[in-house]
Amino acid sequence: MEDMLRIGVVTTTHGLRGEVKVFPTTDDVKRFEQCDEVILVTGQGNLTLHVEQVKFFKNIVIVKFKEFHDINEVEGFRRCDLMVTRENALPLKEGEYYLCDVIGARVCEEDGKEIGVVTEVLETGANNVFAIRTKDGKEVLFPVIPDCIKKVDVENKLVTAHVMKGLME
């Protein structure tokens, strides 16, 4: 399991007071209002920052950090990830899981026959898709829908799937 979870990516600066525009990568964009502390992942290392103010504009979140007060101080943060620790992550509801926790999980059919391992989770507009590397090295894509993915057991790193017609071909 990863220790940090990405909640957004800094896209650019906003105004002159050191605010940044963030493209949210979290399901709940309002979670930025509940964030006190975030970790900015830069090429020179990680910075722990404290959220002072949050505004919303269309599909972007505008964030002001307590540590910065000038556009020049935040100019280099473009394309940097904003992360939270698991302790600061939103609590999961029953049956929910973090996508990063599925990567590396074994995928088996309902009868126990092993299909392969989840190598990536693709986020599409309609539903997520698990990219699975089969035992023979082939990649197959399984949509994360109830007809196909029957159970995700993060603790045991096991996904139970129903192989729909055409998925393995």
Side-chain angles (χ1 to χ4, degrees):
M1 283 197 218
E2 294 184 27
D3 292 335
M4 296 191 299
L5 303 168
R6 186 174 72 173
I7 62 169
V9 179
V10 176
T11 60
T12 187
T13 59
H14 177 78
L16 301 173
R17 299 182 326 122
E19 295 173 311
V20 293
K21 290 182 181 179
V22 176
F23 179 77
T25 58
T26 176
D27 287 342
D28 184 4
V29 72
K30 295 292 185 185
R31 71 119 35 254
F32 282 89
E33 294 175 324
Q34 302 161 9
C35 265
D36 293 325
E37 186 177 275
V38 295
I39 298 160
L40 183 76
V41 180
T42 71
Q44 288 77 38
N46 297 346
L47 294 174
T48 299
L49 302 174
H50 300 89
V51 176
E52 182 176 300
Q53 184 181 24
V54 174
K55 298 184 269 188
F56 301 95
F57 180 73
K58 297 185 180 177
N59 64 339
I60 296 293
V61 182
I62 300 169
V63 181
K64 169 79 173 80
F65 300 112
K66 292 178 183 175
E67 290 81 0
F68 303 108
H69 306 287
D70 184 82
I71 187 174
N72 296 320
E73 297 175 305
V74 296
E75 190 73 39
F77 296 156
R78 292 175 192 202
R79 289 185 250 139
C80 290
D81 287 338
L82 271 184
M83 314 284 275
V84 293
T85 60
R86 281 195 183 263
E87 297 82 43
N88 291 327
L90 292 176
L92 295 172
K93 296 177 186 156
E94 183 71 31
E96 291 182 332
Y97 51 87
Y98 296 114
L99 297 181
C100 61
D101 291 341
V102 179
I103 297 176
R106 289 181 324 121
V107 182
C108 294
E109 292 184 46
E110 295 164 293
D111 63 4
K113 181 181 172 192
E114 189 165 336
I115 299 169
V117 175
V118 177
T119 58
E120 186 178 4
V121 179
L122 307 170
E123 296 181 66
T124 68
N127 53 265
N128 293 332
V129 175
F130 289 164
I132 300 167
R133 175 82 47 214
T134 63
K135 290 186 282 187
D136 61 357
K138 194 169 96 176
E139 182 179 72
V140 292
L141 302 175
F142 278 44
V144 182
I145 57 174
D147 287 346
C148 187
I149 303 300
K150 296 300 185 180
K151 183 177 180 189
V152 176
D153 182 353
V154 174
E155 253 182 56
N156 295 309
K157 296 287 263 185
L158 179 64
V159 173
T160 305
H162 170 74
V163 180
M164 298 169 66
K165 187 176 182 178
L167 284 179
M168 298 292 290
E169 297 164 5

